[in-house]
C-alpha cells in the first residue's frame, strides 16, 4: 500500500463528509448502524451511507482512517454538516435532547415541517 493511497482515501472521506449533509459510516449487519439509519429515516433525512463491510479490503482501511480522524473506532460513525457527532448513542442522545433536528436543519439535511 502506498502512502498516497491513504491520503487519497482521506481526501475522499473529507470530500464525502463535506458534500453530503448527513454521512453515516456503517456496517450492514450492525444493529447500532441500523438504529441510526432508521432514526434519520423517521426524521425525513436520507443520509449518505457508506457500508464498510461491503467495500472489500478498503473497508477496514477506511475504518482505521476514521478512527484516526475522529478517535472513534466503532460504527456507526455519524457526520452532520461536515462535523463528526459520534456514534449511535451520541446521535440518539442528541435526538432525545432535541438537539439533532436543529443540526439537521442547519446542515440543510431536512425540510422543516411547515
Amino acid at each position: 500500500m502506498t502512502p498516497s493511497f491513504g491520503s487519497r482515501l482521506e481526501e475522499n472521506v473529507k470530500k464525502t463528509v463535506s458534500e453530503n449533509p448527513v454521512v453515516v459510516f456503517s456496517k450492514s449487519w450492525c444493529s447500532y448502524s441500523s438504529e441510526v439509519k432508521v432514526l434519520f429515516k423517521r426524521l425525513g433525512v436520507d443520509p449518505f451511507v457508506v457500508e464498510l463491510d461491503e467495500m472489500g479490503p478498503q473497508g477496514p482501511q477506511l475504518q482505521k482512517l476514521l478512527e484516526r480522524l475522529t478517535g472513534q473506532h466503532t460504527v456507526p460513525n455519524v457526520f452532520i454538516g461536515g462535523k463528526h457527532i459520534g456514534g449511535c448513542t451520541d446521535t440518539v442522545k442528541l435526538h432525545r435532547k432535541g438537539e439533532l433536528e436543529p443540526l439537521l436543519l442547519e446542515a440543510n439535511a431536512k425540510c422543516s415541517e411547515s
Side-chain angles (χ1 to χ4, degrees):
M1 188 172 94
T2 59
S4 67
F5 175 77
S7 59
R8 200 163 60 238
L9 196 59
E10 186 169 338
E11 280 167 33
N12 287 345
V13 166
K14 290 180 174 168
K15 190 170 191 275
T16 300
V17 165
S18 67
E19 289 177 355
N20 296 282
V22 180
V23 180
V24 179
F25 291 94
S26 162
K27 289 188 178 167
S28 59
W29 49 263
C30 172
S31 61
Y32 295 109
S33 295
S34 297
E35 191 178 331
V36 162
K37 291 182 278 192
V38 167
L39 173 62
F40 283 132
K41 199 166 260 117
R42 271 205 332 258
L43 296 174
V45 173
D46 189 19
F48 184 89
V49 178
V50 179
E51 299 291 2
L52 297 175
D53 60 320
E54 294 173 0
M55 294 179 68
Q58 222 183 0
Q61 292 166 348
L62 186 51
Q63 191 164 359
K64 275 196 187 79
L65 173 68
L66 286 166
E67 182 176 2
R68 207 179 73 230
L69 295 175
T70 65
Q72 175 185 322
H73 66 279
T74 54
V75 293
N77 210 322
V78 182
F79 292 80
I80 297 177
K83 290 191 283 289
H84 178 247
I85 65 157
C88 177
T89 309
D90 306 299
T91 307
V92 170
K93 205 177 281 176
L94 282 171
H95 179 57
R96 287 208 184 107
K97 291 187 346 202
E99 293 170 15
L100 185 61
E101 290 188 70
L103 277 178
L104 293 168
L105 283 170
E106 194 181 310
N108 293 323
K110 186 180 191 317
C111 307
S112 58
E113 274 105 61
S114 42

